[in-house]
Every structure is written in structure tokens, then in C-alpha cells.
Amino acid sequence: MVEINLNDAEFFAFHGFYPEEQLLGSRFLVDISVGFRPTGNLLADEIGNTVNYEQLYNIACEEMKHTRKLIETVGQSIIDAIKSKFPFVDHVRVCIKKVSPPLKGKVGHSSVTITSFVD
């Protein structure tokens, strides 16, 4: 089993339940973890035998552009796109952190983590 991780990919996006959040935007950090059994020999040193983390970043970047009320929705969209691009994955975990969420007190970030296992 191989696991590819992309950590703290930073985006400025307009997700949020309240209209002000969708107007002002926020910083988000995205972590992606993808587990899979290699389809080829890793010693062949070929990108096609693994999950390309540049493509993971591009998927997250594209999905973060679509304003949503819930970061859960964004997370699931990222997972669905990864599973479509890399059908050989066994599991995908996405964590989206909203930096300094608009609450009454100081909070570093709120987050949602979704894990999807492929049968």
C-alpha cells in the first residue's frame, strides 16, 4: 500500500453558510491523503505508476473555485474528482480547514475531514 499526501495547500475562496462569508471570502488549508496499491513497479520510476500530487493540487484548486455553503460539500467534490481521475485508489481522505472562522472568539481554524473507502 502506498499513501500520497498533500498538506496545507492554501486557497482563498468564498465558501460559507452566511452571505457575508461568500462575499468576503476566507483562507482555507486543504490536506489530501490517497491510498492505493501500485498498478506497476514503483522501481520503474514512472509517474503513471502512482498518484501525481500535482494533479491532486489541481483538482483541489478547481473545486475550491466553486462557492459552496458547506465545506463538507467541497470536500466530497474533491474526493469524487480524485476517484474519477484515479480509479485504482483504495481510500481518499480530505480535510478542509477554514482559517480564522468568523466566530465571537479567536479560533485558529475550523475543519471538516471526510474519508471515502472504495470497495
Side-chain angles (χ1 to χ4, degrees), residues 12-15 18-28 102:
F12 190 86
F14 298 89
H15 309 301
Y18 298 105
E20 312 83 60
E21 294 177 286
Q22 293 187 7
L23 183 64
L24 299 174
S26 297
R27 273 183 55 227
F28 293 86

Side-chain angles (χ1 to χ4, degrees), residues 5 8 14-15 33 36 38 41 46 50 53 58 62 73 75 79 84-85 96 104 107 109 113:
N5 296 288
D8 293 334
F14 298 89
H15 309 301
S33 178
F36 65 98
N41 185 348
E46 296 291 332
T50 189
Y53 58 79
N58 291 340
E62 186 59 35
T73 306
I79 287 172
S84 176
K85 178 77 175 173
I96 301 178
K104 292 183 182 181
V107 175
H109 69 267
T113 302

Side-chain angles (χ1 to χ4, degrees), residues 58-113:
N58 291 340
I59 289 168
C61 187
E62 186 59 35
E63 294 304 325
M64 291 298 287
K65 291 178 185 176
H66 302 287
T67 299
R68 307 276 174 56
K69 290 182 182 178
L70 302 176
I71 56 177
E72 291 89 333
T73 306
V74 181
Q76 188 62 55
S77 295
I78 292 171
I79 287 172
D80 291 347
I82 291 169
K83 288 167 48 175
S84 176
K85 178 77 175 173
F86 301 101
F88 56 89
V89 301
D90 291 322
H91 70 272
V92 180
R93 182 177 48 81
V94 172
C95 178
I96 301 178
K97 303 168 196 163
K98 187 174 203 169
V99 178
S100 300
L103 300 171
K104 292 183 182 181
K106 183 176 179 177
V107 175
H109 69 267
S110 58
S111 68
V112 169
T113 302

